[in-house]
Amino acid sequence: MPPLLKIRSERDQMSAIERRIADFLLENAHLLRDYSSQQLADALQISQSSVVKFSQKLGFKGYPDLKYSIGEAVARIGGTATATAARAPKVPARQALVESLWQGKVRSEEETRLINAGEKLTEIAGLLQRAGKVYCLGLGDDSLPAQALAHRLALLGLVALYHSDVVLMTSSISSATRGDVLFVFSEHGQHPALNQLARQFREHHGKVVSVTRHTSNPLRAHADAPLLVSAHDERPHIQPLLYQSAVQHLLDQIFVLLCDGDRVEQLNANLEHVQHLLDPKL
């Protein structure tokens, strides 16, 4: 796993001092070559041994190895950007923008895949398979993947209920029972009503699956199985596109895991029914 991604994915489990080091490295990765371990310690007003222990905890022999690894990662990113810029004069501006967007999506999906272990996805697929009911909830832009997931689960023969209204969801989960699943989407995981719903759902002995950015947030803390999304870009209008793409890739993986045995037969039968409704001539 790339060092910066490893730092981001493990930040929430770090101590206060380790988080200070992590944040400095993430924000100043391109300047790290100019910092010795002592200079980094002085900048953060911590001991040099804390920097060394931080490096070793991440799996490196020491700070020099960590700094070298981060430097290589930054150079690779810079090399990719340079290569893209070099090709830009040879292609129309529109095509260069499209290629840049595609590369950003691929990078976000790869990082998201790395921070969500395959075992976690298998566990979530198992929860959905055994669930009596699956509640899918999302507000605003987060309602789109929630609705799409509910639709796909229904095609597989699962009882899936979609909501984009917190009040309606509150009354709906009153019928939740042990083993039911709440799949809640919230990019930043800070919405108080969603956090309250997650707590209430667990009181009904249901399981909560959250989909948020890989930051420390209340919704993630309330979830039995948190899914984390990596999507970073300096352009504000591009970052949401990367996030949505990475979320969809996560859901696609879970859907494929669910398409097994009788489920895929049910899916094919339902797709035939849907196609017949859309085009009765077929």
Side-chain angles (χ1 to χ4, degrees):
M1 182 182 294
L4 295 177
L5 177 58
K6 186 176 181 64
I7 291 171
R8 283 198 294 265
S9 64
E10 297 184 7
R11 183 188 179 280
D12 292 339
Q13 286 73 48
M14 295 178 180
S15 66
I17 290 179
E18 290 169 344
R19 285 198 296 272
R20 287 173 59 193
I21 301 173
D23 291 342
F24 185 91
L25 297 181
L26 292 171
E27 294 170 8
N28 301 279
H30 60 294
L31 301 175
L32 199 58
R33 64 181 181 275
D34 299 325
Y35 281 83
S36 66
S37 58
Q38 186 60 61
Q39 289 172 322
L40 177 57
D42 291 342
L44 295 174
Q45 297 182 335
I46 59 176
S47 67
Q48 185 180 19
S49 63
S50 296
V51 176
V52 175
K53 290 177 181 177
F54 175 88
S55 305
Q56 294 172 340
K57 188 173 181 179
L58 288 174
F60 296 91
K61 293 181 179 179
Y63 173 74
D65 286 339
L66 173 60
K67 181 169 74 169
Y68 178 77
S69 181
I70 292 176
E72 278 194 324
V74 171
R76 281 195 297 270
I77 295 173
T80 300
T82 301
T84 301
R87 291 195 299 269
K90 303 175 185 178
V91 298
R94 181 194 62 79
Q95 185 174 338
L97 287 173
V98 171
E99 183 175 343
S100 173
L101 176 61
W102 173 252
Q103 290 174 348
K105 286 185 175 182
V106 170
R107 184 172 60 253
S108 293
E109 291 174 6
E110 180 182 8
E111 291 180 356
T112 298
R113 178 177 56 81
L114 289 172
I115 59 178
N116 293 279
E119 294 79 5
K120 181 191 293 185
L121 299 182
T122 301
E123 174 194 355
I124 292 173
L127 291 175
L128 296 175
Q129 284 276 26
R130 298 186 297 271
K133 299 182 294 294
V134 181
Y135 300 82
C136 301
L137 174 63
L139 307 178
D141 287 345
D142 288 310
S143 67
L144 300 177
Q147 185 175 17
L149 176 63
H151 174 67
R152 285 188 169 185
L153 295 180
L155 287 174
L156 287 169
L158 295 167
V159 179
L161 308 172
Y162 159 69
H163 286 282
S164 59
D165 186 294
V166 174
V167 175
L168 291 177
M169 178 55 110
T170 301
S171 60
S172 182
I173 65 171
S174 62
S175 62
T177 58
R178 185 182 297 274
D180 286 350
V181 174
L182 171 63
F183 220 113
V184 56
F185 296 79
S186 178
E187 181 173 355
H188 301 289
Q190 301 287 348
H191 199 293
L194 296 181
N195 298 327
Q196 182 177 350
L197 276 172
R199 289 195 300 269
Q200 291 176 355
F201 197 84
R202 294 185 70 180
E203 290 173 0
H204 285 77
H205 306 289
K207 297 293 185 180
V208 176
V209 179
S210 66
V211 181
T212 70
R213 284 187 174 272
H214 65 93
T215 56
S216 178
N217 62 75
L219 183 58
R220 174 183 176 181
H222 292 313
D224 297 284
L227 288 172
L228 308 176
V229 180
S230 175
H232 303 277
D233 197 282
E234 295 179 355
R235 297 164 292 180
H237 65 291
I238 295 295
Q239 192 163 187
L241 304 180
L242 304 187
Y243 178 82
Q244 293 160 13
S245 176
V247 168
Q248 189 58 59
H249 188 60
L250 265 181
L251 299 181
D252 288 345
Q253 293 177 70
I254 294 172
F255 177 75
V256 169
L257 290 173
L258 288 169
C259 290
D260 189 23
D262 295 339
R263 291 294 182 194
V264 75
E265 294 178 7
Q266 181 72 59
L267 171 64
N268 292 333
N270 286 336
L271 288 175
E272 287 184 12
H273 294 324
V274 169
Q275 188 61 45
H276 180 71
L277 290 173
L278 295 175
D279 191 349
K281 297 178 182 179
L282 295 178

